Amino acid sequence: TELKILEGIEIARRRQHRFILGYALPEANRIIETLKPYVKKISMAGSIRRRKETIGDVDILAVAEDAERVMDLFTKMKEVERILARGSTKSSVRLHGGMQVDLRVVAEESFGSALQYFTGSKEHNIELRKIAIRKGYKLNEYGLFKGEERIAGEKEEDVYKALGMQWIPPEMRENRGEVELALQRKLPEIVEYEDVRGDLQMHTKWSDGANTIEEMVQEARKLGHKFIAITDHVGSLKIAGGMDEEKIAEQAREIEKVREKYDDIYIFHGVEANIMKDGSLDVGKEVLKNADVVLASIHSAFRMEEKEMTARLLKAMDNEYVDIIAHPTCRIIQKREPIKVDMEKVMEKARENDIVMEINAYPERLDLNDLNVKMAVEYGVKLSIGTDAHAKEHLRFYELGTAVARRGWATKKDIINTYDVDKLKRMFEK
Ligand SMILES: [Zn+2]
């Protein structure tokens, strides 16, 4: 249809120059590790530092005694496909895979203000400059100036401090009210990356995953997780290897064996059930009752009108066994638009029924997104982070979920992955 075509064009247009955070971040980290021994200071800036879900290009800032040498190293990295510009303090390269990376070497006394300036967002920086002007200062990438005198610039924290405000985490710098709160010293204490102690969605060979339960457990332990939930597909989702009751019972016995082997991590035996068109779950009550944690999610019929889709989700949330709604909007970044749903009604229901909403941390999903997380937090709805890992390598994606949580201003108490196992058990006991 025409609408479908227009949507397709819109998605293609947006795709052109954007890269998915989850794949850009490891590349940027690798470059920073390569350059680190040769610089005094180095940091990402721009949208990647703000952990935006997609980014245009990667900005890196550094302080170095020998800028020439750093530029040499940077432009000659094996990852570089083409050098777009080579200067004494700024160079741009394109990596294999198409991503552009800009490196700037700045003076040490300007590193903080440059970091602030190049991190953005543009809208956030406009607000900061207004404050500077009100105070009779001038703010730019070289520093915060009172007349000719630089009153801050070496450290980013000092720039915010001199403007009379709290330092604002980069993930919050989108001009969504953070500047006002920082001036009042009332910024929420958003969840820290280290606060997240486990992963609440993953798949194994028992459905459509690539690894065994034990392999997932071993990898999760390497990441320092204290708990994980194995949440293989159940029911009619044959394409994803949906398990029947017999298979689930078999899986329970395997989980019990793995539990006995590892006492430093707890394994929740969960399920991911499908929400059918009418809002029912395609799996028997016994299965839901026996599972440690029940995730419910939509995997088919994405194109319903908002009214019907909202009713579908609300009905699933009225199911007494459902703990978590997984990837609630079903969007796939650059591939599939979110389902049409009245999110306020969903949040009201979640609050009413104590349903947890997932932040799916898989790079193409990031679902809920930052704005929906912010809404959940405002409604007092709890959130879970699940990587939706289908292979053990995917387990590291949990940090992307934390990034979305931070961008949505979630605090530690809002994110159930920060709880201890006993508290989670009590939550899921219903
Ligand atoms: Zn799913």
Side-chain angles (χ1 to χ4, degrees):
T1 66
E2 192 180 2
L3 189 68
K4 245 180 173 169
I5 293 165
L6 286 176
E7 269 183 24
I9 292 169
E10 174 62 14
I11 289 174
R13 190 184 64 75
R14 268 183 276 163
R15 177 161 46 206
Q16 252 169 14
H17 303 293
R18 309 293 298 177
F19 292 86
I20 288 178
L21 175 71
Y23 303 119
L25 206 49
E27 289 205 66
N29 276 325
R30 228 172 6 250
I31 292 171
I32 285 180
E33 287 311 309
T34 305
L35 300 177
K36 218 171 214 167
Y38 309 95
V39 296
K40 223 171 150 183
K41 286 181 182 170
I42 189 160
S43 174
M44 285 177 216
S47 51
I48 196 167
R49 182 165 179 241
R50 302 200 314 278
R51 300 294 190 266
K52 227 177 147 197
E53 61 189 36
T54 62
I55 59 155
D57 48 34
V58 174
D59 293 305
I60 299 176
L61 292 183
V63 174
E65 306 231 307
D66 190 349
E68 279 292 339
R69 186 173 179 211
V70 176
M71 288 301 162
D72 261 354
L73 279 161
F74 175 66
T75 51
K76 285 175 184 158
M77 296 180 304
K78 64 176 186 328
E79 293 92 341
V80 172
E81 181 201 74
R82 198 144 82 94
I83 300 169
L84 303 171
R86 165 72 165 83
S88 56
T89 58
K90 194 199 160 199
S91 294
S92 296
V93 298
R94 193 165 62 214
L95 308 182
H96 304 290
M99 198 162 70
Q100 184 177 326
V101 185
D102 299 337
L103 172 68
R104 284 184 182 79
V105 174
V106 300
E108 187 159 17
E109 64 265 28
S110 297
F111 183 72
S113 48
L115 194 55
Q116 198 290 315
Y117 179 88
F118 287 109
T119 296
S121 66
K122 203 168 121 195
E123 294 74 19
H124 173 90
N125 285 357
I126 287 170
E127 292 307 307
L128 250 59
R129 273 205 299 282
K130 279 190 210 159
I131 295 163
I133 289 164
R134 273 210 304 270
K135 289 183 174 291
Y137 300 156
K138 197 177 81 188
L139 176 64
N140 58 35
E141 60 184 285
Y142 303 105
L144 181 66
F145 297 91
K146 188 179 181 180
E148 293 296 299
E149 186 199 352
R150 189 197 322 264
I151 56 170
E154 189 176 337
K155 288 189 184 136
E156 193 183 55
E157 286 83 351
D158 295 341
V159 173
Y160 283 92
K161 200 172 160 191
L163 289 172
M165 60 203 296
Q166 288 173 285
W167 177 80
I168 301 173
E171 294 90 334
M172 294 179 80
R173 298 182 197 170
E174 299 290 346
N175 195 28
R176 292 174 180 163
E178 75 280 6
V179 172
E180 203 51 46
L181 287 173
L183 282 168
Q184 297 165 11
R185 317 201 69 75
K186 283 183 185 161
L187 271 186
E189 272 183 49
I190 59 173
V191 61
E192 298 290 342
Y193 288 94
E194 309 81 59
D195 289 337
V196 172
R197 308 147 69 103
D199 186 338
L200 291 169
Q201 181 177 181
M202 67 188 65
H203 300 264
T204 71
K205 278 189 167 167
W206 285 88
S207 62
D208 57 351
N211 290 98
T212 64
I213 292 168
E214 184 164 9
E215 283 163 350
M216 296 305 265
V217 167
Q218 285 169 343
E219 192 70 18
R221 288 169 74 241
K222 278 188 210 158
L223 296 172
H225 286 342
K226 298 288 168 236
F227 58 84
I228 56 171
I230 303 285
T231 56
D232 278 303
H233 297 283
V234 292
S236 67
L237 205 64
K238 285 287 169 269
I239 193 167
M243 298 187 294
D244 57 20
E245 271 181 63
E246 203 180 312
K247 251 183 121 180
I248 296 167
E250 247 181 88
Q251 186 188 36
R253 288 192 286 277
E254 185 175 318
I255 286 188
E256 202 42 60
K257 271 188 211 152
V258 180
R259 272 181 190 155
E260 277 163 25
K261 267 176 98 168
Y262 303 96
D263 61 1
D264 56 353
I265 186 163
Y266 188 77
I267 309 163
F268 289 98
H269 185 191
V271 294
E272 184 182 13
N274 303 308
I275 301 172
M276 306 310 280
K277 243 178 147 169
D278 65 356
S280 64
L281 301 186
D282 69 338
V283 62
K285 251 193 179 152
E286 282 304 302
V287 169
L288 302 175
K289 214 172 143 182
N290 290 334
D292 291 338
V293 53
V294 174
L295 276 57
S297 48
I298 292 174
H299 294 104
S300 59
F302 300 108
R303 288 178 169 271
M304 284 165 70
E305 287 310 314
E306 179 173 314
K307 214 173 148 203
E308 286 75 41
M309 188 60 98
T310 304
R312 178 184 183 183
L313 257 184
L314 296 185
K315 190 181 167 199
M317 294 167 82
D318 274 331
N319 184 308
E320 60 177 317
Y321 299 109
V322 170
D323 298 294
I324 298 174
I325 297 295
H327 47 78
T329 76
C330 300
R331 64 102 172 243
I332 306 284
I333 298 174
Q334 296 172 342
K335 285 201 186 83
R336 186 168 72 215
E337 291 293 313
I339 55 170
K340 295 194 186 83
V341 67
D342 185 336
M343 201 43 90
E344 296 192 0
K345 287 213 171 100
V346 170
M347 292 300 172
E348 271 166 30
K349 179 68 81 180
R351 182 171 58 194
E352 199 180 300
N353 290 3
D354 282 328
I355 301 275
V356 174
M357 301 299 281
E358 184 185 65
I359 302 173
N360 191 294
Y362 203 83
E364 283 88 347
R365 286 197 186 265
L366 304 186
D367 178 13
L368 299 176
N369 70 8
D370 52 0
L371 288 171
N372 285 329
V373 167
K374 197 157 183 274
M375 189 195 273
V377 170
E378 280 158 14
Y379 272 82
V381 168
K382 299 277 184 266
L383 298 146
S384 71
I385 295 172
T387 58
D388 208 347
H390 282 69
K392 62 181 195 218
E393 295 77 20
H394 298 159
L395 288 172
R396 65 172 175 82
F397 295 151
Y398 76 97
E399 290 178 330
L400 302 171
T402 316
V404 175
R406 287 168 62 81
R407 285 181 58 84
W409 300 19
T411 64
K412 197 172 164 179
K413 68 166 179 25
D414 299 317
I415 305 295
I416 66 169
N417 302 60
T418 67
Y419 299 179
D420 59 39
V421 171
D422 288 335
K423 190 169 175 184
L424 283 176
K425 279 185 184 167
R426 283 196 299 277
M427 270 190 81
F428 298 148
E429 235 169 57
K430 59 170 185 183

mmCIF file of all heavy atoms in Angstrom, residues 195-229:
data_model
loop_
_atom_site.group_PDB
_atom_site.id
_atom_site.type_symbol
_atom_site.label_atom_id
_atom_site.label_comp_id
_atom_site.label_asym_id
_atom_site.label_seq_id
_atom_site.Cartn_x
_atom_site.Cartn_y
_atom_site.Cartn_z
ATOM 1 N N ASP A 195 25.247 -0.772 38.926
ATOM 2 C CA ASP A 195 24.118 -1.181 39.772
ATOM 3 C C ASP A 195 23.391 -2.410 39.230
ATOM 4 O O ASP A 195 22.692 -3.102 39.963
ATOM 5 C CB ASP A 195 23.093 -0.038 39.888
ATOM 6 C CG ASP A 195 23.607 1.118 40.730
ATOM 7 O OD1 ASP A 195 24.511 0.887 41.559
ATOM 8 O OD2 ASP A 195 23.113 2.252 40.566
ATOM 9 N N VAL A 196 23.518 -2.653 37.934
ATOM 10 C CA VAL A 196 22.764 -3.737 37.304
ATOM 11 C C VAL A 196 23.454 -5.068 37.561
ATOM 12 O O VAL A 196 24.616 -5.252 37.231
ATOM 13 C CB VAL A 196 22.606 -3.469 35.785
ATOM 14 C CG1 VAL A 196 22.012 -4.669 35.070
ATOM 15 C CG2 VAL A 196 21.729 -2.234 35.576
ATOM 16 N N ARG A 197 22.722 -5.999 38.193
ATOM 17 C CA ARG A 197 23.344 -7.233 38.690
ATOM 18 C C ARG A 197 22.916 -8.480 37.961
ATOM 19 O O ARG A 197 23.325 -9.579 38.319
ATOM 20 C CB ARG A 197 23.004 -7.397 40.181
ATOM 21 C CG ARG A 197 23.311 -6.184 41.017
ATOM 22 C CD ARG A 197 22.312 -6.026 42.162
ATOM 23 N NE ARG A 197 22.477 -7.073 43.137
ATOM 24 C CZ ARG A 197 23.078 -6.900 44.310
ATOM 25 N NH1 ARG A 197 23.541 -5.733 44.644
ATOM 26 N NH2 ARG A 197 23.189 -7.894 45.146
ATOM 27 N N GLY A 198 22.094 -8.327 36.941
ATOM 28 C CA GLY A 198 21.632 -9.524 36.244
ATOM 29 C C GLY A 198 20.860 -9.193 34.980
ATOM 30 O O GLY A 198 20.666 -8.024 34.651
ATOM 31 N N ASP A 199 20.422 -10.236 34.328
ATOM 32 C CA ASP A 199 19.814 -10.124 32.999
ATOM 33 C C ASP A 199 18.517 -10.928 33.011
ATOM 34 O O ASP A 199 18.507 -12.100 33.378
ATOM 35 C CB ASP A 199 20.821 -10.705 31.993
ATOM 36 C CG ASP A 199 20.391 -10.528 30.541
ATOM 37 O OD1 ASP A 199 19.191 -10.354 30.284
ATOM 38 O OD2 ASP A 199 21.283 -10.588 29.683
ATOM 39 N N LEU A 200 17.419 -10.303 32.609
ATOM 40 C CA LEU A 200 16.119 -10.946 32.768
ATOM 41 C C LEU A 200 15.438 -11.386 31.467
ATOM 42 O O LEU A 200 14.238 -11.643 31.445
ATOM 43 C CB LEU A 200 15.193 -10.047 33.604
ATOM 44 C CG LEU A 200 15.627 -9.937 35.074
ATOM 45 C CD1 LEU A 200 14.873 -8.837 35.806
ATOM 46 C CD2 LEU A 200 15.444 -11.267 35.808
ATOM 47 N N GLN A 201 16.202 -11.485 30.397
ATOM 48 C CA GLN A 201 15.667 -12.193 29.227
ATOM 49 C C GLN A 201 16.805 -12.780 28.394
ATOM 50 O O GLN A 201 17.704 -12.062 27.963
ATOM 51 C CB GLN A 201 14.817 -11.312 28.301
ATOM 52 C CG GLN A 201 14.298 -12.177 27.155
ATOM 53 C CD GLN A 201 13.369 -11.581 26.120
ATOM 54 O OE1 GLN A 201 12.962 -12.312 25.239
ATOM 55 N NE2 GLN A 201 13.043 -10.309 26.200
ATOM 56 N N MET A 202 16.753 -14.086 28.169
ATOM 57 C CA MET A 202 17.705 -14.712 27.239
ATOM 58 C C MET A 202 17.168 -16.055 26.767
ATOM 59 O O MET A 202 16.293 -16.650 27.386
ATOM 60 C CB MET A 202 19.063 -14.894 27.916
ATOM 61 C CG MET A 202 19.079 -15.889 29.033
ATOM 62 S SD MET A 202 20.666 -15.848 29.887
ATOM 63 C CE MET A 202 20.654 -14.192 30.593
ATOM 64 N N HIS A 203 17.718 -16.485 25.634
ATOM 65 C CA HIS A 203 17.253 -17.712 24.990
ATOM 66 C C HIS A 203 18.418 -18.696 24.856
ATOM 67 O O HIS A 203 19.561 -18.285 24.725
ATOM 68 C CB HIS A 203 16.660 -17.381 23.626
ATOM 69 C CG HIS A 203 15.500 -16.432 23.731
ATOM 70 N ND1 HIS A 203 14.211 -16.854 23.763
ATOM 71 C CD2 HIS A 203 15.462 -15.085 23.885
ATOM 72 C CE1 HIS A 203 13.412 -15.811 23.908
ATOM 73 N NE2 HIS A 203 14.155 -14.719 23.987
ATOM 74 N N THR A 204 18.081 -19.963 24.892
ATOM 75 C CA THR A 204 19.101 -21.006 24.778
ATOM 76 C C THR A 204 18.717 -21.964 23.659
ATOM 77 O O THR A 204 17.708 -21.771 22.979
ATOM 78 C CB THR A 204 19.219 -21.804 26.094
ATOM 79 O OG1 THR A 204 18.038 -22.609 26.227
ATOM 80 C CG2 THR A 204 19.374 -20.886 27.286
ATOM 81 N N LYS A 205 19.506 -23.016 23.537
ATOM 82 C CA LYS A 205 19.220 -24.051 22.532
ATOM 83 C C LYS A 205 17.837 -24.672 22.714
ATOM 84 O O LYS A 205 17.323 -25.311 21.806
ATOM 85 C CB LYS A 205 20.280 -25.147 22.627
ATOM 86 C CG LYS A 205 21.555 -24.792 21.889
ATOM 87 C CD LYS A 205 22.479 -25.979 21.822
ATOM 88 C CE LYS A 205 23.593 -25.712 20.814
ATOM 89 N NZ LYS A 205 24.683 -26.699 20.942
ATOM 90 N N TRP A 206 17.284 -24.511 23.918
ATOM 91 C CA TRP A 206 15.959 -25.081 24.162
ATOM 92 C C TRP A 206 14.901 -24.435 23.285
ATOM 93 O O TRP A 206 13.846 -25.024 23.036
ATOM 94 C CB TRP A 206 15.583 -24.955 25.636
ATOM 95 C CG TRP A 206 16.314 -25.952 26.476
ATOM 96 C CD1 TRP A 206 17.542 -25.786 27.056
ATOM 97 C CD2 TRP A 206 15.892 -27.279 26.790
ATOM 98 N NE1 TRP A 206 17.902 -26.927 27.716
ATOM 99 C CE2 TRP A 206 16.909 -27.862 27.578
ATOM 100 C CE3 TRP A 206 14.751 -28.039 26.498
ATOM 101 C CZ2 TRP A 206 16.818 -29.167 28.069
ATOM 102 C CZ3 TRP A 206 14.659 -29.331 26.990
ATOM 103 C CH2 TRP A 206 15.690 -29.883 27.767
ATOM 104 N N SER A 207 15.123 -23.179 22.846
ATOM 105 C CA SER A 207 14.227 -22.635 21.804
ATOM 106 C C SER A 207 15.108 -22.190 20.638
ATOM 107 O O SER A 207 15.689 -23.025 19.966
ATOM 108 C CB SER A 207 13.309 -21.524 22.332
ATOM 109 O OG SER A 207 14.012 -20.403 22.802
ATOM 110 N N ASP A 208 15.258 -20.887 20.414
ATOM 111 C CA ASP A 208 15.992 -20.449 19.218
ATOM 112 C C ASP A 208 17.373 -19.862 19.519
ATOM 113 O O ASP A 208 17.948 -19.164 18.692
ATOM 114 C CB ASP A 208 15.155 -19.465 18.391
ATOM 115 C CG ASP A 208 14.723 -18.247 19.204
ATOM 116 O OD1 ASP A 208 14.914 -18.245 20.440
ATOM 117 O OD2 ASP A 208 14.199 -17.296 18.606
ATOM 118 N N GLY A 209 17.906 -20.143 20.706
ATOM 119 C CA GLY A 209 19.236 -19.631 21.040
ATOM 120 C C GLY A 209 20.336 -20.552 20.525
ATOM 121 O O GLY A 209 20.096 -21.694 20.130
ATOM 122 N N ALA A 210 21.571 -20.052 20.559
ATOM 123 C CA ALA A 210 22.707 -20.796 19.999
ATOM 124 C C ALA A 210 23.491 -21.569 21.060
ATOM 125 O O ALA A 210 24.276 -22.456 20.722
ATOM 126 C CB ALA A 210 23.646 -19.830 19.279
ATOM 127 N N ASN A 211 23.291 -21.231 22.334
ATOM 128 C CA ASN A 211 24.109 -21.835 23.385
ATOM 129 C C ASN A 211 23.281 -22.617 24.393
ATOM 130 O O ASN A 211 22.069 -22.462 24.475
ATOM 131 C CB ASN A 211 24.903 -20.746 24.121
ATOM 132 C CG ASN A 211 25.993 -20.148 23.240
ATOM 133 O OD1 ASN A 211 25.824 -19.093 22.644
ATOM 134 N ND2 ASN A 211 27.104 -20.849 23.129
ATOM 135 N N THR A 212 23.984 -23.438 25.164
ATOM 136 C CA THR A 212 23.311 -24.197 26.211
ATOM 137 C C THR A 212 23.082 -23.304 27.431
ATOM 138 O O THR A 212 23.654 -22.211 27.528
ATOM 139 C CB THR A 212 24.172 -25.390 26.661
ATOM 140 O OG1 THR A 212 25.378 -24.864 27.253
ATOM 141 C CG2 THR A 212 24.526 -26.291 25.496
ATOM 142 N N ILE A 213 22.285 -23.802 28.349
ATOM 143 C CA ILE A 213 22.037 -23.062 29.587
ATOM 144 C C ILE A 213 23.353 -22.823 30.315
ATOM 145 O O ILE A 213 23.650 -21.711 30.751
ATOM 146 C CB ILE A 213 21.040 -23.833 30.479
ATOM 147 C CG1 ILE A 213 19.665 -23.841 29.824
ATOM 148 C CG2 ILE A 213 20.979 -23.222 31.883
ATOM 149 C CD1 ILE A 213 18.681 -24.808 30.464
ATOM 150 N N GLU A 214 24.168 -23.877 30.413
ATOM 151 C CA GLU A 214 25.413 -23.736 31.164
ATOM 152 C C GLU A 214 26.359 -22.719 30.510
ATOM 153 O O GLU A 214 27.003 -21.934 31.206
ATOM 154 C CB GLU A 214 26.116 -25.084 31.323
ATOM 155 C CG GLU A 214 27.364 -24.966 32.188
ATOM 156 C CD GLU A 214 27.888 -26.306 32.693
ATOM 157 O OE1 GLU A 214 27.397 -27.352 32.236
ATOM 158 O OE2 GLU A 214 28.792 -26.267 33.544
ATOM 159 N N GLU A 215 26.411 -22.720 29.192
ATOM 160 C CA GLU A 215 27.262 -21.730 28.499
ATOM 161 C C GLU A 215 26.802 -20.302 28.785
ATOM 162 O O GLU A 215 27.621 -19.394 28.980
ATOM 163 C CB GLU A 215 27.252 -22.000 26.983
ATOM 164 C CG GLU A 215 28.124 -23.181 26.585
ATOM 165 C CD GLU A 215 27.827 -23.731 25.188
ATOM 166 O OE1 GLU A 215 26.819 -23.332 24.554
ATOM 167 O OE2 GLU A 215 28.609 -24.576 24.737
ATOM 168 N N MET A 216 25.501 -20.107 28.828
ATOM 169 C CA MET A 216 24.966 -18.768 29.144
ATOM 170 C C MET A 216 25.321 -18.397 30.585
ATOM 171 O O MET A 216 25.692 -17.256 30.869
ATOM 172 C CB MET A 216 23.448 -18.740 28.949
ATOM 173 C CG MET A 216 22.977 -18.971 27.520
ATOM 174 S SD MET A 216 23.689 -17.846 26.297
ATOM 175 C CE MET A 216 22.428 -16.584 26.193
ATOM 176 N N VAL A 217 25.213 -19.366 31.471
ATOM 177 C CA VAL A 217 25.521 -19.114 32.883
ATOM 178 C C VAL A 217 26.985 -18.729 33.039
ATOM 179 O O VAL A 217 27.323 -17.762 33.741
ATOM 180 C CB VAL A 217 25.181 -20.362 33.736
ATOM 181 C CG1 VAL A 217 25.777 -20.250 35.130
ATOM 182 C CG2 VAL A 217 23.670 -20.555 33.809
ATOM 183 N N GLN A 218 27.858 -19.476 32.378
ATOM 184 C CA GLN A 218 29.291 -19.177 32.491
ATOM 185 C C GLN A 218 29.610 -17.776 31.988
ATOM 186 O O GLN A 218 30.388 -17.044 32.605
ATOM 187 C CB GLN A 218 30.103 -20.221 31.710
ATOM 188 C CG GLN A 218 30.168 -21.555 32.440
ATOM 189 C CD GLN A 218 30.740 -22.658 31.567
ATOM 190 O OE1 GLN A 218 30.799 -22.535 30.340
ATOM 191 N NE2 GLN A 218 31.164 -23.750 32.184
ATOM 192 N N GLU A 219 29.011 -17.416 30.870
ATOM 193 C CA GLU A 219 29.253 -16.075 30.311
ATOM 194 C C GLU A 219 28.694 -14.990 31.246
ATOM 195 O O GLU A 219 29.340 -13.963 31.473
ATOM 196 C CB GLU A 219 28.598 -15.986 28.928
ATOM 197 C CG GLU A 219 28.991 -14.782 28.114
ATOM 198 C CD GLU A 219 30.430 -14.805 27.627
ATOM 199 O OE1 GLU A 219 31.051 -15.896 27.608
ATOM 200 O OE2 GLU A 219 30.936 -13.724 27.266
ATOM 201 N N ALA A 220 27.527 -15.230 31.793
ATOM 202 C CA ALA A 220 26.911 -14.256 32.709
ATOM 203 C C ALA A 220 27.780 -14.064 33.952
ATOM 204 O O ALA A 220 27.918 -12.948 34.456
ATOM 205 C CB ALA A 220 25.509 -14.718 33.100
ATOM 206 N N ARG A 221 28.376 -15.144 34.414
ATOM 207 C CA ARG A 221 29.270 -15.041 35.579
ATOM 208 C C ARG A 221 30.478 -14.184 35.250
ATOM 209 O O ARG A 221 30.942 -13.388 36.066
ATOM 210 C CB ARG A 221 29.708 -16.431 36.045
ATOM 211 C CG ARG A 221 28.593 -17.211 36.734
ATOM 212 C CD ARG A 221 28.956 -18.664 36.955
ATOM 213 N NE ARG A 221 29.921 -18.864 38.016
ATOM 214 C CZ ARG A 221 31.129 -19.406 37.835
ATOM 215 N NH1 ARG A 221 31.527 -19.766 36.627
ATOM 216 N NH2 ARG A 221 31.931 -19.564 38.866
ATOM 217 N N LYS A 222 30.997 -14.343 34.019
ATOM 218 C CA LYS A 222 32.133 -13.515 33.588
ATOM 219 C C LYS A 222 31.781 -12.033 33.637
ATOM 220 O O LYS A 222 32.635 -11.189 33.901
ATOM 221 C CB LYS A 222 32.542 -13.864 32.149
ATOM 222 C CG LYS A 222 33.435 -15.086 32.034
ATOM 223 C CD LYS A 222 33.934 -15.219 30.594
ATOM 224 C CE LYS A 222 34.167 -16.683 30.258
ATOM 225 N NZ LYS A 222 34.133 -16.925 28.803
ATOM 226 N N LEU A 223 30.527 -11.717 33.343
ATOM 227 C CA LEU A 223 30.092 -10.316 33.357
ATOM 228 C C LEU A 223 29.789 -9.842 34.782
ATOM 229 O O LEU A 223 29.455 -8.683 34.991
ATOM 230 C CB LEU A 223 28.846 -10.141 32.479
ATOM 231 C CG LEU A 223 29.036 -10.424 30.983
ATOM 232 C CD1 LEU A 223 27.698 -10.407 30.259
ATOM 233 C CD2 LEU A 223 29.973 -9.402 30.351
ATOM 234 N N GLY A 224 29.888 -10.750 35.726
ATOM 235 C CA GLY A 224 29.663 -10.390 37.124
ATOM 236 C C GLY A 224 28.207 -10.438 37.537
ATOM 237 O O GLY A 224 27.839 -9.916 38.598
ATOM 238 N N HIS A 225 27.363 -11.052 36.728
ATOM 239 C CA HIS A 225 25.940 -11.105 37.073
ATOM 240 C C HIS A 225 25.700 -11.982 38.299
ATOM 241 O O HIS A 225 26.359 -12.993 38.498
ATOM 242 C CB HIS A 225 25.118 -11.664 35.903
ATOM 243 C CG HIS A 225 24.959 -10.688 34.772
ATOM 244 N ND1 HIS A 225 25.168 -9.336 34.918
ATOM 245 C CD2 HIS A 225 24.590 -10.858 33.479
ATOM 246 C CE1 HIS A 225 24.941 -8.728 33.764
ATOM 247 N NE2 HIS A 225 24.594 -9.627 32.870
ATOM 248 N N LYS A 226 24.712 -11.576 39.083
ATOM 249 C CA LYS A 226 24.324 -12.344 40.269
ATOM 250 C C LYS A 226 23.112 -13.221 39.977
ATOM 251 O O LYS A 226 22.785 -14.117 40.736
ATOM 252 C CB LYS A 226 24.009 -11.407 41.441
ATOM 253 C CG LYS A 226 25.182 -10.555 41.883
ATOM 254 C CD LYS A 226 26.223 -11.409 42.613
ATOM 255 C CE LYS A 226 27.527 -10.652 42.798
ATOM 256 N NZ LYS A 226 28.680 -11.387 42.229
ATOM 257 N N PHE A 227 22.403 -12.908 38.915
ATOM 258 C CA PHE A 227 21.255 -13.738 38.527
ATOM 259 C C PHE A 227 21.004 -13.573 37.031
ATOM 260 O O PHE A 227 21.418 -12.574 36.423
ATOM 261 C CB PHE A 227 19.995 -13.344 39.302
ATOM 262 C CG PHE A 227 19.612 -11.897 39.121
ATOM 263 C CD1 PHE A 227 18.872 -11.490 38.025
ATOM 264 C CD2 PHE A 227 20.014 -10.941 40.049
ATOM 265 C CE1 PHE A 227 18.537 -10.158 37.848
ATOM 266 C CE2 PHE A 227 19.694 -9.598 39.872
ATOM 267 C CZ PHE A 227 18.956 -9.212 38.770
ATOM 268 N N ILE A 228 20.351 -14.590 36.470
ATOM 269 C CA ILE A 228 19.858 -14.473 35.095
ATOM 270 C C ILE A 228 18.492 -15.164 35.034
ATOM 271 O O ILE A 228 18.187 -16.004 35.886
ATOM 272 C CB ILE A 228 20.781 -15.140 34.046
ATOM 273 C CG1 ILE A 228 21.021 -16.615 34.377
ATOM 274 C CG2 ILE A 228 22.097 -14.394 33.942
ATOM 275 C CD1 ILE A 228 21.728 -17.371 33.267
ATOM 276 N N ALA A 229 17.726 -14.793 34.053
ATOM 277 C CA ALA A 229 16.495 -15.525 33.782
ATOM 278 C C ALA A 229 16.629 -16.160 32.405
ATOM 279 O O ALA A 229 16.904 -15.468 31.422
ATOM 280 C CB ALA A 229 15.285 -14.589 33.830
#
